[in-house]
Amino acid sequence: MTLLSADHVCVRYGAHEVLHDISLKIAPGEIVTILGPNGSGKSTLLRALLGILPVAEGRILREAGLRIGYVPQRLTIDRTMPITVRRFLSLPVRVRDRAAAGTLARVGMSGQEGAQMTALSGGQLQRVLLARALLGRPQLLMLDEPTAGLDQPGEAAFYRLIEEVRAETGAAVLMVSHDLHVVMAASDRVICLNGHICCEGTPRVVSTAPEYRALFGLGTQGALALYRHEHDHDHRDGHPQHHHHHGHDHDHA
Amino acid sequence: MLDDFLIRAGLAAVGLSLATGPLGSFVIWRRMAYFGDATAHAAVLGVALALATDLPIGLGTLTVALAMAVTVAGLSARGWAMDTTLGVLAHSALAFGLVAVSFFPTVRTDLSSYLFGDILAVTRTELALVWAGALAVLGLLAWRWQALLTATLSEDLAHAAGLRPDRERLILVLALALVVAVALKIVGALLIAAMLLIPAAAARSFARTPEAMAALAILIGAVSGLGGLGLSLWQDTPTGPSMIVVAALLFALTSLRRRV
């Protein structure tokens, strides 16, 4: 059984091909992480899977009536809009107070119903976004760089939370990350992306794959390794038309 | 009771605020202020069109306002530099409208009523149209409220929930054109955008939820309308601008409350 699948999908912005020949499947209850450097098309892939971006070639198939809970990378709420956490949780589907309170407690935001969304910290906002997604009782949670604004302990706690949610609800989880070790531990399967799927498998298999090592550098002993990856790795024989485009905006701070 | 022109004027002002409160809130949240301007200014062109074709003024303004709103929405979806484009469209619509209207000598003498409104001359039929239009806008927004809010917060979240953000945008565009057609008689083409913006902006400092802001904006709009009517009677000032003056004073008062 498959919740969501991509079948030879290509996505282009104008003439520029961002994603090339992507095929993947998400089964119920599994945690899959899409891993790749900045500019590798991770967010694009997620947005294409969600139907936000049109695909140029190939197909995306969703199980009929699939409930997806989406947690975007960030949410910038205009300061002109007054909105409480409680009100936000009822968008677009209204939920009962009890359900809202229960889910807030689940993500560690108990009693925060009355807080203004614009007053939340990055980590709190992530948790509220997750709570909103969970209230739709999703069969598939899709998270785009869910820990981007968090520090290391916050990150670890967030991934623990995701695992607990999966264990409790049986929801499949598809995450996008550029961040290596923490994600690896939490995932059943890792898809290594750089415009195309470089390699995929269990975290252990992927972390020893030459493609993965080429993409992220050999050591992978810390986040910095990410930024030292070879920009033109040499496994493109199978993809003669594919041009790696690295429009990176690396933050070397 | 409706025989009294003051009662009719007051009811027209209150009716209009039912639509401008919630719609104005969206105009602020989505940063569409200039968009409102362009649509409202196009209404003058609609007046000329209506006179040239012997159609009712309301229909002419509605058509042209709708055409302008759809054009602007289409351009913004295609990623034009909106600041400049809207400025060009807003002011050229006004200029073209003024030039076109000048071909009709009867209107020429009465031009200011289209620019600044003529609420004291509202007839029973016009009053009925104001309420019908305002209630239609209110109904439209209430019907799509959840989807509109979601799409305003984040188009991606709306998409992921199976909504169509472009359709919600179209609903706002339609509502805006309706409000422009309805408000032309009351505050005039030049000040419609002010009637959308100022009450909603004043409501912001007191509101904790979107609904509260929209409701408060209705209240502040109605108070501004009635207050402006009173000011105009008392000091013999033009009524439309007087309403905006009261709204602006209320805004100044409420912004004192804001801790910056």
Side-chain angles (χ1 to χ4, degrees):
Chain A
M1 198 169 118
T2 305
L3 296 176
L4 177 72
S5 66
D7 182 21
H8 299 288
V9 164
C10 298
V11 176
R12 300 190 185 103
Y13 290 131
H16 173 52
E17 189 167 80
V18 186
L19 290 176
H20 177 74
D21 196 24
I22 305 285
S23 295
L24 56 84
K25 284 182 173 156
I26 312 293
E30 64 172 344
I31 297 186
V32 179
T33 299
I34 301 171
L35 206 55
N38 286 339
S40 58
K42 304 182 300 289
S43 290
T44 302
L45 177 54
L46 210 58
R47 289 159 58 86
L49 291 174
L50 279 163
I52 298 173
L53 290 174
V55 301
E57 277 172 46
R59 283 189 308 168
I60 286 166
L61 295 173
R62 252 168 254 152
E63 195 195 57
L66 177 67
R67 293 189 305 274
I68 294 180
Y70 174 49
V71 178
Q73 190 169 0
R74 58 176 163 267
L75 179 71
T76 317
I77 295 180
D78 200 296
R79 292 199 64 85
T80 57
M81 185 188 274
I83 185 164
T84 57
V85 167
R86 174 66 188 88
R87 183 66 189 88
F88 178 73
L89 293 180
S90 271
L91 285 175
V93 180
R94 291 189 189 274
V95 294
R96 293 174 178 282
D97 283 343
R98 268 190 60 184
T103 312
L104 280 180
R106 185 71 205 86
V107 300
M109 288 287 288
S110 199
Q112 296 288 314
E113 281 95 337
Q116 283 289 313
M117 289 292 288
T118 46
L120 298 181
S121 72
Q124 289 175 319
L125 184 63
Q126 269 325 319
R127 285 163 184 273
V128 172
L129 284 169
L130 179 63
R132 197 200 75 106
L134 291 176
L135 278 165
R137 294 185 301 112
Q139 296 155 286
L140 172 60
L141 260 180
M142 291 172 82
L143 307 106
D144 192 354
E145 303 263 7
T147 59
L150 305 184
D151 55 15
Q152 288 257 337
E155 243 176 70
F158 192 87
Y159 287 122
R160 266 201 309 279
L161 180 59
I162 296 291
E163 279 199 63
E164 288 166 15
V165 163
R166 190 259 305 252
E168 284 164 25
T169 68
V173 180
L174 179 63
M175 280 187 286
V176 146
S177 183
H178 68 247
D179 150 4
L180 304 172
H181 38 292
V182 193
V183 175
M184 298 295 261
S187 310
D188 299 324
R189 197 149 63 84
V190 174
I191 295 173
C192 197
L193 189 76
N194 192 23
H196 59 277
I197 292 178
C198 302
C199 55
E200 61 176 303
T202 62
R204 208 170 53 81
V205 168
V206 167
S207 61
T208 55
E211 294 90 345
Y212 170 84
R213 296 181 151 237
L215 197 55
F216 287 104
L218 282 169
T220 74
Q221 297 142 345
L224 260 183
L226 169 65
Y227 299 111
R228 292 204 209 100
H229 72 263
E230 296 277 328
H231 278 206
D232 264 310
H233 53 294
D234 54 8
H235 66 283
R236 58 207 299 190
D237 313 307
H239 308 275
Q241 299 95 9
H242 181 66
H243 300 288
H244 290 279
H245 181 87
H246 291 266
H248 291 189
D249 47 346
H250 283 175
D251 186 2
H252 287 285
Chain B
M1 186 181 84
L2 292 178
D3 291 339
D4 190 333
F5 74 96
L6 269 183
I7 302 274
R8 287 200 302 271
L11 283 175
V14 171
L16 178 63
S17 64
L18 286 179
T20 51
L23 185 60
S25 301
F26 276 108
V27 166
I28 289 184
W29 297 331
R30 300 176 77 115
R31 310 208 162 229
M32 290 164 65
Y34 232 146
F35 186 93
D37 249 348
T39 311
H41 289 180
V44 179
L45 197 58
V47 171
L49 187 81
L51 291 170
T53 54
D54 266 338
L55 284 169
I57 301 281
L59 194 60
T61 47
L62 182 63
T63 312
V64 175
L66 195 58
M68 174 61 102
V70 168
T71 308
V72 172
L75 289 178
S76 87
R78 261 178 233 118
W80 281 54
M82 285 322 284
D83 194 33
T84 311
T85 314
L86 280 175
V88 170
L89 284 174
H91 297 112
S92 28
L94 186 60
F96 272 99
L98 291 175
V99 168
V101 159
S102 76
F103 288 111
F104 303 91
T106 49
V107 188
R108 215 168 180 172
T109 53
D110 195 25
L111 187 60
S112 75
S113 75
Y114 294 109
L115 292 180
F116 302 112
D118 193 8
I119 192 175
L120 297 180
V122 164
T123 64
R124 280 164 173 255
T125 318
E126 285 167 337
L127 180 60
L129 280 174
V130 165
W131 273 82
L135 288 177
V137 167
L138 195 61
L140 193 63
L141 295 183
W143 171 50
R144 302 302 307 165
W145 189 258
Q146 287 283 91
L148 278 168
L149 272 183
T150 309
T152 299
L153 275 174
S154 157
E155 301 219 332
D156 283 1
L157 280 187
H159 257 300
L163 300 170
R164 298 268 314 275
D166 47 345
R167 204 177 55 190
E168 307 309 331
R169 208 180 301 128
L170 203 65
I171 298 235
L172 286 179
V173 162
L174 186 68
L176 193 61
L178 257 172
V179 162
V180 165
V182 159
L184 185 69
K185 182 78 182 178
I186 300 177
V187 283
L190 290 184
L191 292 174
I192 292 173
M195 203 60 204
L196 282 167
L197 277 181
I198 302 178
R204 170 65 184 94
S205 18
F206 295 98
R208 295 183 51 77
T209 61
E211 290 76 17
M213 179 161 155
L216 262 174
I218 291 179
L219 185 69
I220 294 173
V223 168
S224 308
L226 297 176
L229 205 56
L231 175 66
S232 143
L233 283 177
W234 175 42
Q235 290 292 320
D236 196 23
T237 50
T239 315
S242 303
M243 293 176 170
I244 307 301
V245 164
V246 174
L249 291 175
L250 287 176
F251 173 76
L253 274 180
T254 59
S255 58
L256 288 180
R257 185 179 178 271
R258 201 171 297 176
R259 301 155 293 158
V260 179

